[in-house]
Amino acid sequence: MLELTAEAPLDAAAIEDLLDRSFGPRRQRKLSYRYRIGREPEPGLSLTARDGGMLLGSIRYWRLLLGDRPALLLGP
């Protein structure tokens, strides 16, 4: 059964591994990763999906500014 839970600090390494396997280790060269430098995923908005304890997916948001306007960056 699929279980959605808030991302926990201990999930970070497993999420990075999943993203490397899904998008390749060169994924961090994409422009969107530059916006994430020095920022942590937004607590409460970043979720994990598991089935029987196995991590199947994640969704994360990062706070940033577009000019002087606050915004959220959505990413895997």
mmCIF file of all heavy atoms in Angstrom, residues 23-69:
data_model
loop_
_atom_site.group_PDB
_atom_site.id
_atom_site.type_symbol
_atom_site.label_atom_id
_atom_site.label_comp_id
_atom_site.label_asym_id
_atom_site.label_seq_id
_atom_site.Cartn_x
_atom_site.Cartn_y
_atom_site.Cartn_z
ATOM 1 N N PHE A 23 17.226 10.108 -12.860
ATOM 2 C CA PHE A 23 17.580 11.175 -13.792
ATOM 3 C C PHE A 23 19.054 11.200 -14.172
ATOM 4 O O PHE A 23 19.463 11.993 -15.009
ATOM 5 C CB PHE A 23 17.207 12.538 -13.192
ATOM 6 C CG PHE A 23 15.741 12.679 -12.906
ATOM 7 C CD1 PHE A 23 15.276 12.654 -11.605
ATOM 8 C CD2 PHE A 23 14.825 12.824 -13.936
ATOM 9 C CE1 PHE A 23 13.925 12.782 -11.327
ATOM 10 C CE2 PHE A 23 13.471 12.947 -13.669
ATOM 11 C CZ PHE A 23 13.014 12.926 -12.364
ATOM 12 N N GLY A 24 19.861 10.362 -13.537
ATOM 13 C CA GLY A 24 21.293 10.322 -13.816
ATOM 14 C C GLY A 24 22.060 11.269 -12.908
ATOM 15 O O GLY A 24 21.523 12.282 -12.439
ATOM 16 N N PRO A 25 23.316 10.945 -12.636
ATOM 17 C CA PRO A 25 24.108 11.767 -11.722
ATOM 18 C C PRO A 25 24.415 13.158 -12.270
ATOM 19 O O PRO A 25 24.738 14.061 -11.509
ATOM 20 C CB PRO A 25 25.385 10.953 -11.515
ATOM 21 C CG PRO A 25 25.443 10.016 -12.671
ATOM 22 C CD PRO A 25 24.024 9.769 -13.094
ATOM 23 N N ARG A 26 24.256 13.368 -13.571
ATOM 24 C CA ARG A 26 24.517 14.687 -14.165
ATOM 25 C C ARG A 26 23.323 15.629 -14.024
ATOM 26 O O ARG A 26 23.376 16.768 -14.470
ATOM 27 C CB ARG A 26 24.903 14.518 -15.617
ATOM 28 C CG ARG A 26 26.189 13.685 -15.750
ATOM 29 C CD ARG A 26 26.550 13.458 -17.161
ATOM 30 N NE ARG A 26 27.081 14.722 -17.671
ATOM 31 C CZ ARG A 26 27.593 14.867 -18.867
ATOM 32 N NH1 ARG A 26 27.638 13.855 -19.681
ATOM 33 N NH2 ARG A 26 28.055 16.037 -19.249
ATOM 34 N N ARG A 27 22.261 15.156 -13.387
ATOM 35 C CA ARG A 27 21.051 15.976 -13.221
ATOM 36 C C ARG A 27 21.345 17.283 -12.515
ATOM 37 O O ARG A 27 20.686 18.288 -12.750
ATOM 38 C CB ARG A 27 19.995 15.198 -12.444
ATOM 39 C CG ARG A 27 20.385 14.930 -10.998
ATOM 40 C CD ARG A 27 19.397 14.031 -10.278
ATOM 41 N NE ARG A 27 19.949 13.532 -9.063
ATOM 42 C CZ ARG A 27 19.995 14.208 -7.915
ATOM 43 N NH1 ARG A 27 19.467 15.397 -7.832
ATOM 44 N NH2 ARG A 27 20.544 13.682 -6.843
ATOM 45 N N GLN A 28 22.346 17.300 -11.655
ATOM 46 C CA GLN A 28 22.647 18.503 -10.875
ATOM 47 C C GLN A 28 23.292 19.607 -11.703
ATOM 48 O O GLN A 28 23.496 20.703 -11.207
ATOM 49 C CB GLN A 28 23.502 18.139 -9.674
ATOM 50 C CG GLN A 28 22.728 17.278 -8.704
ATOM 51 C CD GLN A 28 23.482 16.978 -7.438
ATOM 52 O OE1 GLN A 28 24.664 17.274 -7.320
ATOM 53 N NE2 GLN A 28 22.799 16.394 -6.480
ATOM 54 N N ARG A 29 23.560 19.337 -12.952
ATOM 55 C CA ARG A 29 24.077 20.369 -13.852
ATOM 56 C C ARG A 29 22.963 21.234 -14.426
ATOM 57 O O ARG A 29 23.232 22.247 -15.066
ATOM 58 C CB ARG A 29 24.862 19.739 -14.989
ATOM 59 C CG ARG A 29 26.129 19.073 -14.517
ATOM 60 C CD ARG A 29 26.904 18.534 -15.677
ATOM 61 N NE ARG A 29 28.122 17.893 -15.214
ATOM 62 C CZ ARG A 29 29.027 17.402 -16.018
ATOM 63 N NH1 ARG A 29 28.864 17.472 -17.324
ATOM 64 N NH2 ARG A 29 30.099 16.829 -15.529
ATOM 65 N N LYS A 30 21.730 20.829 -14.218
ATOM 66 C CA LYS A 30 20.594 21.591 -14.740
ATOM 67 C C LYS A 30 20.475 22.925 -14.001
ATOM 68 O O LYS A 30 20.790 23.033 -12.819
ATOM 69 C CB LYS A 30 19.298 20.797 -14.578
ATOM 70 C CG LYS A 30 19.268 19.558 -15.440
ATOM 71 C CD LYS A 30 17.970 18.814 -15.271
ATOM 72 C CE LYS A 30 17.961 17.591 -16.164
ATOM 73 N NZ LYS A 30 16.704 16.880 -16.094
ATOM 74 N N LEU A 31 19.995 23.916 -14.719
ATOM 75 C CA LEU A 31 19.857 25.264 -14.175
ATOM 76 C C LEU A 31 19.031 25.294 -12.888
ATOM 77 O O LEU A 31 19.362 26.020 -11.945
ATOM 78 C CB LEU A 31 19.227 26.187 -15.213
ATOM 79 C CG LEU A 31 19.013 27.628 -14.827
ATOM 80 C CD1 LEU A 31 20.343 28.303 -14.504
ATOM 81 C CD2 LEU A 31 18.302 28.374 -15.929
ATOM 82 N N SER A 32 17.989 24.484 -12.814
ATOM 83 C CA SER A 32 17.119 24.512 -11.640
ATOM 84 C C SER A 32 17.864 24.174 -10.353
ATOM 85 O O SER A 32 17.466 24.610 -9.272
ATOM 86 C CB SER A 32 15.931 23.569 -11.818
ATOM 87 O OG SER A 32 16.372 22.238 -11.942
ATOM 88 N N TYR A 33 18.954 23.426 -10.448
ATOM 89 C CA TYR A 33 19.714 23.086 -9.246
ATOM 90 C C TYR A 33 20.471 24.291 -8.694
ATOM 91 O O TYR A 33 20.733 24.359 -7.502
ATOM 92 C CB TYR A 33 20.668 21.920 -9.518
ATOM 93 C CG TYR A 33 19.952 20.599 -9.406
ATOM 94 C CD1 TYR A 33 19.258 20.073 -10.483
ATOM 95 C CD2 TYR A 33 19.923 19.905 -8.209
ATOM 96 C CE1 TYR A 33 18.584 18.876 -10.380
ATOM 97 C CE2 TYR A 33 19.248 18.711 -8.087
ATOM 98 C CZ TYR A 33 18.578 18.201 -9.181
ATOM 99 O OH TYR A 33 17.895 17.019 -9.055
ATOM 100 N N ARG A 34 20.793 25.248 -9.520
ATOM 101 C CA ARG A 34 21.476 26.455 -9.034
ATOM 102 C C ARG A 34 20.604 27.234 -8.055
ATOM 103 O O ARG A 34 21.090 27.855 -7.132
ATOM 104 C CB ARG A 34 21.867 27.358 -10.190
ATOM 105 C CG ARG A 34 22.948 26.764 -11.042
ATOM 106 C CD ARG A 34 23.386 27.742 -12.099
ATOM 107 N NE ARG A 34 24.003 27.020 -13.187
ATOM 108 C CZ ARG A 34 24.214 27.528 -14.371
ATOM 109 N NH1 ARG A 34 23.852 28.773 -14.622
ATOM 110 N NH2 ARG A 34 24.773 26.805 -15.311
ATOM 111 N N TYR A 35 19.294 27.203 -8.286
ATOM 112 C CA TYR A 35 18.372 27.920 -7.404
ATOM 113 C C TYR A 35 18.289 27.288 -6.024
ATOM 114 O O TYR A 35 17.835 27.917 -5.076
ATOM 115 C CB TYR A 35 16.970 27.971 -8.006
ATOM 116 C CG TYR A 35 16.897 28.630 -9.354
ATOM 117 C CD1 TYR A 35 16.350 27.972 -10.437
ATOM 118 C CD2 TYR A 35 17.386 29.917 -9.543
ATOM 119 C CE1 TYR A 35 16.275 28.568 -11.681
ATOM 120 C CE2 TYR A 35 17.315 30.519 -10.788
ATOM 121 C CZ TYR A 35 16.760 29.851 -11.850
ATOM 122 O OH TYR A 35 16.697 30.447 -13.064
ATOM 123 N N ARG A 36 18.706 26.048 -5.910
ATOM 124 C CA ARG A 36 18.588 25.308 -4.652
ATOM 125 C C ARG A 36 19.821 25.428 -3.763
ATOM 126 O O ARG A 36 19.785 25.015 -2.609
ATOM 127 C CB ARG A 36 18.355 23.828 -4.950
ATOM 128 C CG ARG A 36 17.139 23.600 -5.807
ATOM 129 C CD ARG A 36 17.039 22.168 -6.232
ATOM 130 N NE ARG A 36 16.104 22.056 -7.337
ATOM 131 C CZ ARG A 36 15.686 20.933 -7.842
ATOM 132 N NH1 ARG A 36 16.106 19.795 -7.360
ATOM 133 N NH2 ARG A 36 14.852 20.917 -8.842
ATOM 134 N N ILE A 37 20.903 25.964 -4.300
ATOM 135 C CA ILE A 37 22.155 26.046 -3.548
ATOM 136 C C ILE A 37 21.937 26.825 -2.255
ATOM 137 O O ILE A 37 21.383 27.931 -2.259
ATOM 138 C CB ILE A 37 23.268 26.705 -4.400
ATOM 139 C CG1 ILE A 37 23.617 25.801 -5.582
ATOM 140 C CG2 ILE A 37 24.503 26.979 -3.549
ATOM 141 C CD1 ILE A 37 24.565 26.432 -6.576
ATOM 142 N N GLY A 38 22.342 26.226 -1.148
ATOM 143 C CA GLY A 38 22.220 26.870 0.151
ATOM 144 C C GLY A 38 20.830 26.830 0.749
ATOM 145 O O GLY A 38 20.578 27.449 1.777
ATOM 146 N N ARG A 39 19.926 26.107 0.115
ATOM 147 C CA ARG A 39 18.552 26.013 0.620
ATOM 148 C C ARG A 39 18.217 24.559 0.916
ATOM 149 O O ARG A 39 18.647 23.653 0.216
ATOM 150 C CB ARG A 39 17.567 26.546 -0.413
ATOM 151 C CG ARG A 39 17.680 28.017 -0.644
ATOM 152 C CD ARG A 39 16.691 28.450 -1.722
ATOM 153 N NE ARG A 39 16.579 29.886 -1.789
ATOM 154 C CZ ARG A 39 17.407 30.666 -2.453
ATOM 155 N NH1 ARG A 39 18.423 30.145 -3.096
ATOM 156 N NH2 ARG A 39 17.222 31.973 -2.473
ATOM 157 N N GLU A 40 17.416 24.373 1.907
ATOM 158 C CA GLU A 40 16.902 23.043 2.248
ATOM 159 C C GLU A 40 15.478 22.929 1.726
ATOM 160 O O GLU A 40 14.768 23.944 1.642
ATOM 161 C CB GLU A 40 16.914 22.837 3.765
ATOM 162 C CG GLU A 40 18.305 22.808 4.372
ATOM 163 C CD GLU A 40 19.129 21.635 3.888
ATOM 164 O OE1 GLU A 40 18.569 20.531 3.746
ATOM 165 O OE2 GLU A 40 20.331 21.832 3.633
ATOM 166 N N PRO A 41 15.019 21.722 1.396
ATOM 167 C CA PRO A 41 13.619 21.561 1.009
ATOM 168 C C PRO A 41 12.701 22.092 2.112
ATOM 169 O O PRO A 41 13.014 22.000 3.301
ATOM 170 C CB PRO A 41 13.461 20.050 0.847
ATOM 171 C CG PRO A 41 14.840 19.553 0.587
ATOM 172 C CD PRO A 41 15.749 20.459 1.356
ATOM 173 N N GLU A 42 11.598 22.655 1.706
ATOM 174 C CA GLU A 42 10.657 23.272 2.642
ATOM 175 C C GLU A 42 9.953 22.212 3.479
ATOM 176 O O GLU A 42 9.255 21.338 2.938
ATOM 177 C CB GLU A 42 9.628 24.092 1.860
ATOM 178 C CG GLU A 42 8.709 24.895 2.714
ATOM 179 C CD GLU A 42 9.428 25.948 3.539
ATOM 180 O OE1 GLU A 42 10.523 26.418 3.169
ATOM 181 O OE2 GLU A 42 8.864 26.319 4.578
ATOM 182 N N PRO A 43 10.152 22.252 4.814
ATOM 183 C CA PRO A 43 9.480 21.277 5.685
ATOM 184 C C PRO A 43 7.959 21.396 5.566
ATOM 185 O O PRO A 43 7.422 22.481 5.395
ATOM 186 C CB PRO A 43 9.937 21.673 7.091
ATOM 187 C CG PRO A 43 11.101 22.572 6.904
ATOM 188 C CD PRO A 43 10.956 23.204 5.551
ATOM 189 N N GLY A 44 7.303 20.275 5.617
ATOM 190 C CA GLY A 44 5.841 20.263 5.552
ATOM 191 C C GLY A 44 5.305 20.237 4.134
ATOM 192 O O GLY A 44 4.170 19.842 3.913
ATOM 193 N N LEU A 45 6.100 20.671 3.166
ATOM 194 C CA LEU A 45 5.667 20.635 1.772
ATOM 195 C C LEU A 45 6.412 19.570 0.980
ATOM 196 O O LEU A 45 6.068 19.297 -0.161
ATOM 197 C CB LEU A 45 5.891 21.994 1.096
ATOM 198 C CG LEU A 45 5.080 23.160 1.638
ATOM 199 C CD1 LEU A 45 5.447 24.439 0.901
ATOM 200 C CD2 LEU A 45 3.593 22.885 1.513
ATOM 201 N N SER A 46 7.449 19.003 1.546
ATOM 202 C CA SER A 46 8.251 17.993 0.874
ATOM 203 C C SER A 46 7.828 16.620 1.372
ATOM 204 O O SER A 46 7.839 16.363 2.576
ATOM 205 C CB SER A 46 9.735 18.246 1.137
ATOM 206 O OG SER A 46 10.088 19.537 0.641
ATOM 207 N N LEU A 47 7.452 15.758 0.432
ATOM 208 C CA LEU A 47 6.845 14.470 0.778
ATOM 209 C C LEU A 47 7.609 13.309 0.159
ATOM 210 O O LEU A 47 8.291 13.469 -0.860
ATOM 211 C CB LEU A 47 5.404 14.422 0.273
ATOM 212 C CG LEU A 47 4.472 15.536 0.732
ATOM 213 C CD1 LEU A 47 3.147 15.449 -0.010
ATOM 214 C CD2 LEU A 47 4.270 15.492 2.225
ATOM 215 N N THR A 48 7.466 12.144 0.768
ATOM 216 C CA THR A 48 7.994 10.907 0.206
ATOM 217 C C THR A 48 6.851 9.931 -0.020
ATOM 218 O O THR A 48 5.837 9.975 0.672
ATOM 219 C CB THR A 48 9.038 10.242 1.131
ATOM 220 O OG1 THR A 48 8.426 9.918 2.370
ATOM 221 C CG2 THR A 48 10.236 11.150 1.361
ATOM 222 N N ALA A 49 7.035 9.070 -1.008
ATOM 223 C CA ALA A 49 6.080 7.996 -1.286
ATOM 224 C C ALA A 49 6.805 6.677 -1.098
ATOM 225 O O ALA A 49 7.884 6.466 -1.660
ATOM 226 C CB ALA A 49 5.553 8.122 -2.714
ATOM 227 N N ARG A 50 6.227 5.800 -0.297
ATOM 228 C CA ARG A 50 6.830 4.493 -0.009
ATOM 229 C C ARG A 50 5.782 3.399 -0.156
ATOM 230 O O ARG A 50 4.601 3.611 0.071
ATOM 231 C CB ARG A 50 7.367 4.451 1.416
ATOM 232 C CG ARG A 50 8.475 5.434 1.702
ATOM 233 C CD ARG A 50 8.958 5.275 3.159
ATOM 234 N NE ARG A 50 9.851 6.316 3.558
ATOM 235 C CZ ARG A 50 11.138 6.420 3.223
ATOM 236 N NH1 ARG A 50 11.684 5.520 2.454
ATOM 237 N NH2 ARG A 50 11.878 7.421 3.642
ATOM 238 N N ASP A 51 6.295 2.226 -0.491
ATOM 239 C CA ASP A 51 5.465 1.024 -0.517
ATOM 240 C C ASP A 51 6.224 -0.034 0.255
ATOM 241 O O ASP A 51 7.326 -0.430 -0.150
ATOM 242 C CB ASP A 51 5.200 0.566 -1.945
ATOM 243 C CG ASP A 51 4.216 -0.590 -2.015
ATOM 244 O OD1 ASP A 51 3.590 -0.922 -0.987
ATOM 245 O OD2 ASP A 51 4.070 -1.159 -3.105
ATOM 246 N N GLY A 52 5.676 -0.453 1.364
ATOM 247 C CA GLY A 52 6.357 -1.439 2.192
ATOM 248 C C GLY A 52 7.708 -0.963 2.686
ATOM 249 O O GLY A 52 8.628 -1.749 2.832
ATOM 250 N N GLY A 53 7.842 0.317 2.910
ATOM 251 C CA GLY A 53 9.093 0.879 3.390
ATOM 252 C C GLY A 53 10.070 1.252 2.285
ATOM 253 O O GLY A 53 11.049 1.941 2.527
ATOM 254 N N MET A 54 9.816 0.812 1.038
ATOM 255 C CA MET A 54 10.714 1.128 -0.075
ATOM 256 C C MET A 54 10.360 2.499 -0.654
ATOM 257 O O MET A 54 9.200 2.760 -0.984
ATOM 258 C CB MET A 54 10.610 0.082 -1.176
ATOM 259 C CG MET A 54 11.462 0.414 -2.388
ATOM 260 S SD MET A 54 11.251 -0.758 -3.725
ATOM 261 C CE MET A 54 12.297 -2.051 -3.126
ATOM 262 N N LEU A 55 11.357 3.365 -0.747
ATOM 263 C CA LEU A 55 11.148 4.702 -1.299
ATOM 264 C C LEU A 55 10.887 4.598 -2.795
ATOM 265 O O LEU A 55 11.699 4.061 -3.548
ATOM 266 C CB LEU A 55 12.376 5.578 -1.039
ATOM 267 C CG LEU A 55 12.281 7.019 -1.531
ATOM 268 C CD1 LEU A 55 11.234 7.790 -0.737
ATOM 269 C CD2 LEU A 55 13.634 7.695 -1.441
ATOM 270 N N LEU A 56 9.737 5.108 -3.228
ATOM 271 C CA LEU A 56 9.360 5.073 -4.641
ATOM 272 C C LEU A 56 9.404 6.443 -5.291
ATOM 273 O O LEU A 56 9.518 6.550 -6.515
ATOM 274 C CB LEU A 56 7.950 4.507 -4.806
ATOM 275 C CG LEU A 56 7.723 3.092 -4.307
ATOM 276 C CD1 LEU A 56 6.262 2.718 -4.489
ATOM 277 C CD2 LEU A 56 8.633 2.115 -5.025
ATOM 278 N N GLY A 57 9.287 7.502 -4.489
ATOM 279 C CA GLY A 57 9.277 8.843 -5.058
ATOM 280 C C GLY A 57 9.326 9.902 -3.994
ATOM 281 O O GLY A 57 9.191 9.626 -2.801
ATOM 282 N N SER A 58 9.555 11.105 -4.456
ATOM 283 C CA SER A 58 9.548 12.257 -3.553
ATOM 284 C C SER A 58 9.144 13.487 -4.336
ATOM 285 O O SER A 58 9.249 13.529 -5.566
ATOM 286 C CB SER A 58 10.922 12.469 -2.913
ATOM 287 O OG SER A 58 11.842 12.962 -3.866
ATOM 288 N N ILE A 59 8.681 14.477 -3.623
ATOM 289 C CA ILE A 59 8.382 15.778 -4.189
ATOM 290 C C ILE A 59 8.868 16.802 -3.175
ATOM 291 O O ILE A 59 8.679 16.627 -1.971
ATOM 292 C CB ILE A 59 6.877 15.941 -4.504
ATOM 293 C CG1 ILE A 59 6.630 17.239 -5.252
ATOM 294 C CG2 ILE A 59 6.029 15.831 -3.260
ATOM 295 C CD1 ILE A 59 5.242 17.330 -5.856
ATOM 296 N N ARG A 60 9.538 17.822 -3.668
ATOM 297 C CA ARG A 60 10.128 18.819 -2.779
ATOM 298 C C ARG A 60 9.834 20.222 -3.291
ATOM 299 O O ARG A 60 9.693 20.443 -4.489
ATOM 300 C CB ARG A 60 11.647 18.637 -2.724
ATOM 301 C CG ARG A 60 12.098 17.387 -2.037
ATOM 302 C CD ARG A 60 13.551 17.169 -2.298
ATOM 303 N NE ARG A 60 14.209 16.519 -1.166
ATOM 304 C CZ ARG A 60 15.474 16.164 -1.167
ATOM 305 N NH1 ARG A 60 16.241 16.413 -2.209
ATOM 306 N NH2 ARG A 60 15.989 15.576 -0.110
ATOM 307 N N TYR A 61 9.776 21.155 -2.349
ATOM 308 C CA TYR A 61 9.648 22.569 -2.660
ATOM 309 C C TYR A 61 10.778 23.317 -1.960
ATOM 310 O O TYR A 61 11.174 22.959 -0.857
ATOM 311 C CB TYR A 61 8.320 23.128 -2.140
ATOM 312 C CG TYR A 61 7.103 22.668 -2.910
ATOM 313 C CD1 TYR A 61 6.451 21.497 -2.573
ATOM 314 C CD2 TYR A 61 6.610 23.429 -3.953
ATOM 315 C CE1 TYR A 61 5.327 21.078 -3.259
ATOM 316 C CE2 TYR A 61 5.479 23.030 -4.648
ATOM 317 C CZ TYR A 61 4.838 21.855 -4.296
ATOM 318 O OH TYR A 61 3.725 21.451 -4.976
ATOM 319 N N TRP A 62 11.273 24.365 -2.614
ATOM 320 C CA TRP A 62 12.276 25.251 -2.024
ATOM 321 C C TRP A 62 11.754 26.667 -2.102
ATOM 322 O O TRP A 62 11.210 27.087 -3.127
ATOM 323 C CB TRP A 62 13.590 25.193 -2.808
ATOM 324 C CG TRP A 62 14.338 23.925 -2.666
ATOM 325 C CD1 TRP A 62 15.361 23.679 -1.807
ATOM 326 C CD2 TRP A 62 14.152 22.719 -3.388
ATOM 327 N NE1 TRP A 62 15.820 22.398 -1.954
ATOM 328 C CE2 TRP A 62 15.089 21.785 -2.926
ATOM 329 C CE3 TRP A 62 13.271 22.316 -4.400
ATOM 330 C CZ2 TRP A 62 15.180 20.502 -3.424
ATOM 331 C CZ3 TRP A 62 13.358 21.035 -4.889
ATOM 332 C CH2 TRP A 62 14.300 20.151 -4.404
ATOM 333 N N ARG A 63 11.922 27.426 -1.015
ATOM 334 C CA ARG A 63 11.564 28.847 -1.025
ATOM 335 C C ARG A 63 12.657 29.621 -1.740
ATOM 336 O O ARG A 63 13.841 29.339 -1.585
ATOM 337 C CB ARG A 63 11.424 29.373 0.396
ATOM 338 C CG ARG A 63 10.206 28.836 1.097
ATOM 339 C CD ARG A 63 9.906 29.621 2.376
ATOM 340 N NE ARG A 63 8.813 29.002 3.069
ATOM 341 C CZ ARG A 63 7.517 29.234 2.803
ATOM 342 N NH1 ARG A 63 7.196 30.079 1.858
ATOM 343 N NH2 ARG A 63 6.574 28.618 3.480
ATOM 344 N N LEU A 64 12.242 30.597 -2.540
ATOM 345 C CA LEU A 64 13.191 31.485 -3.202
ATOM 346 C C LEU A 64 12.497 32.797 -3.522
ATOM 347 O O LEU A 64 11.306 32.956 -3.277
ATOM 348 C CB LEU A 64 13.772 30.837 -4.466
ATOM 349 C CG LEU A 64 12.791 30.271 -5.496
ATOM 350 C CD1 LEU A 64 12.333 31.338 -6.463
ATOM 351 C CD2 LEU A 64 13.460 29.163 -6.251
ATOM 352 N N LEU A 65 13.252 33.743 -4.027
ATOM 353 C CA LEU A 65 12.711 35.035 -4.437
ATOM 354 C C LEU A 65 12.843 35.173 -5.941
ATOM 355 O O LEU A 65 13.883 34.847 -6.520
ATOM 356 C CB LEU A 65 13.449 36.184 -3.758
ATOM 357 C CG LEU A 65 13.269 36.322 -2.258
ATOM 358 C CD1 LEU A 65 14.179 37.421 -1.715
ATOM 359 C CD2 LEU A 65 11.817 36.626 -1.924
ATOM 360 N N LEU A 66 11.789 35.645 -6.577
ATOM 361 C CA LEU A 66 11.817 36.026 -7.982
ATOM 362 C C LEU A 66 11.753 37.542 -7.995
ATOM 363 O O LEU A 66 10.685 38.120 -7.820
ATOM 364 C CB LEU A 66 10.640 35.430 -8.747
ATOM 365 C CG LEU A 66 10.612 33.917 -8.839
ATOM 366 C CD1 LEU A 66 9.344 33.435 -9.512
ATOM 367 C CD2 LEU A 66 11.832 33.405 -9.590
ATOM 368 N N GLY A 67 12.926 38.149 -8.118
ATOM 369 C CA GLY A 67 13.005 39.587 -7.900
ATOM 370 C C GLY A 67 12.787 39.821 -6.422
ATOM 371 O O GLY A 67 13.533 39.332 -5.588
ATOM 372 N N ASP A 68 11.713 40.516 -6.075
ATOM 373 C CA ASP A 68 11.390 40.753 -4.661
ATOM 374 C C ASP A 68 10.154 39.968 -4.225
ATOM 375 O O ASP A 68 9.638 40.178 -3.144
ATOM 376 C CB ASP A 68 11.198 42.244 -4.403
ATOM 377 C CG ASP A 68 10.051 42.845 -5.199
ATOM 378 O OD1 ASP A 68 9.546 42.174 -6.125
ATOM 379 O OD2 ASP A 68 9.669 43.985 -4.907
ATOM 380 N N ARG A 69 9.703 39.032 -5.069
ATOM 381 C CA ARG A 69 8.495 38.267 -4.762
ATOM 382 C C ARG A 69 8.854 36.866 -4.267
ATOM 383 O O ARG A 69 9.613 36.151 -4.910
ATOM 384 C CB ARG A 69 7.619 38.158 -6.007
ATOM 385 C CG ARG A 69 7.216 39.525 -6.542
ATOM 386 C CD ARG A 69 6.380 39.351 -7.729
ATOM 387 N NE ARG A 69 5.013 39.275 -7.225
ATOM 388 C CZ ARG A 69 3.965 39.374 -8.004
ATOM 389 N NH1 ARG A 69 4.115 39.488 -9.285
ATOM 390 N NH2 ARG A 69 2.761 39.309 -7.483
#
